[in-house]
Structure formats: C-alpha cells, structure tokens
Amino acid sequence: FKIVNCSTTGSGAAVHVRARSGINEQWGLTIRNCIIEDNFAVGGGGGISVVSSLNEVTGQVNIINCTFRRNGAPHELEWSGPGGIYVHRCFGCGVGSVNIMNCNIKENRAPGMTVTSGSTVSLTNTNVCGNYGYYGAPVEEQIQGTWIDLGGNFVDMYCTPPALGACCYMYS
C-alpha cells in the first residue's frame, strides 16, 4: 500500500497503521513526499501511529521525503505524548520495522518521535529537531526510545527558520 504526494492538516491522527489481522501475515506501507502537519490525536502519534498488536504479524513501513510538523497527542492529561511519530510493538508480537529516510520531524509536541521497546526504527538523512514540551519549551529528548542511526541524521533541540534550508543547528 502506498500514500504518495499527500498533505493533511488539522484532523485527528493523520495516518494510523495497525497490524492486527491473521497469523503469519505480511504487510507493507510506503508514505512518500507528504506533509503531515497540525494534527492532534487522543492517543498514539498526532502525525502517524504505527502499532503491531498480534503475534506473527510482520511488516515494513517506509517513510520517505516527508515533513511532520506541529502534530501532538495528549499523555496523562497534558500535551506531552508522542507528537510527530509513534511506533509501538507489543511484547511478544511479530517483527516489523519502520524506516524513515530524508524526512523532517520538527515543531511537534515533544517528543518528536516515540519508539516503544521491541520496535525497530531506523533513520537515514533525517532531521528531528525543535520539538517542544507542554509549555512550549524545547526538550532535550527529541526521540524517546531506541532507534538505529544509518547516517546523515541531525537530532537537536533547536531548528533554523525554514528559509535557511537545513532543518537544524545547535545553539551554544
């Protein structure tokens, strides 16, 4: 399944992927050249939520050349849940992976991305920066959880204005 050249603004979670069908099932999704902004969900990620919840379900999500901006999800009665991207694989569930390439994940309610234990997420040439906490302050933890760095990534509390090109740089 593919989502290509899309834009979504101001709805619930823009994309919610839930692998929960038959045993030994394989699935895949590619999201390419999309702008996902100003979305707020009541759980999961405001921009995209990828959840695996049954044994033996395997799949792969590829997110390529996309921007996730100003998304959020509440957590414990505050807007501090996963903002841009949420990836969850339940304990003992099937194997799946999320590959994020050439993307910008910025200005989301912090963290910009949440990866729960057991999930596999890899980033290549991706900027994760400028995601902020409940009161608008930048947070150090731009990505919550473990992820695989395949090179060319920039993860920082601060981003440059979009007019300057690159997403992020570090203030001293």
Side-chain angles (χ1 to χ4, degrees), residues 7-68:
S7 177
T8 178
T9 302
S11 63
V15 179
H16 182 80
V17 180
R18 186 173 196 99
R20 48 182 298 188
S21 46
I23 302 293
N24 294 320
E25 182 171 325
Q26 294 186 352
W27 56 273
L29 171 66
T30 297
I31 302 171
R32 182 186 309 267
N33 301 328
C34 292
I35 298 171
I36 298 174
E37 62 185 7
D38 299 320
N39 297 285
F40 294 92
V42 180
I48 184 171
S49 181
V50 180
V51 178
S52 174
S53 61
L54 282 183
N55 293 332
E56 305 304 325
V57 175
T58 61
Q60 182 168 311
V61 175
N62 295 308
I63 303 171
I64 306 164
N65 298 326
C66 293
T67 296
F68 293 84

Side-chain angles (χ1 to χ4, degrees), residues 75-159:
H75 177 67
E76 297 178 10
L77 304 178
E78 293 184 356
W79 286 98
S80 60
I85 299 174
Y86 174 68
V87 181
H88 172 74
R89 184 179 74 91
C90 70
F91 181 76
C93 290
V95 178
S97 63
V98 176
N99 305 303
I100 302 171
M101 297 160 274
N102 304 316
C103 291
N104 287 305
I105 303 166
K106 62 183 187 174
E107 301 168 14
N108 298 285
R109 294 286 179 149
M113 182 169 65
T114 298
V115 181
T116 65
S117 62
S119 300
T120 303
V121 175
S122 64
L123 272 65
T124 307
N125 298 322
T126 291
N127 298 311
V128 183
C129 58
N131 298 291
Y132 55 93
Y134 180 62
Y135 295 105
V139 294
E140 289 186 38
E141 189 174 39
Q142 294 290 302
I143 301 175
Q144 182 180 38
T146 304
W147 56 283
I148 300 165
D149 185 349
L150 296 180
N153 300 301
F154 188 85
V155 179
D156 194 80
M157 295 170 55
Y158 301 100
C159 290

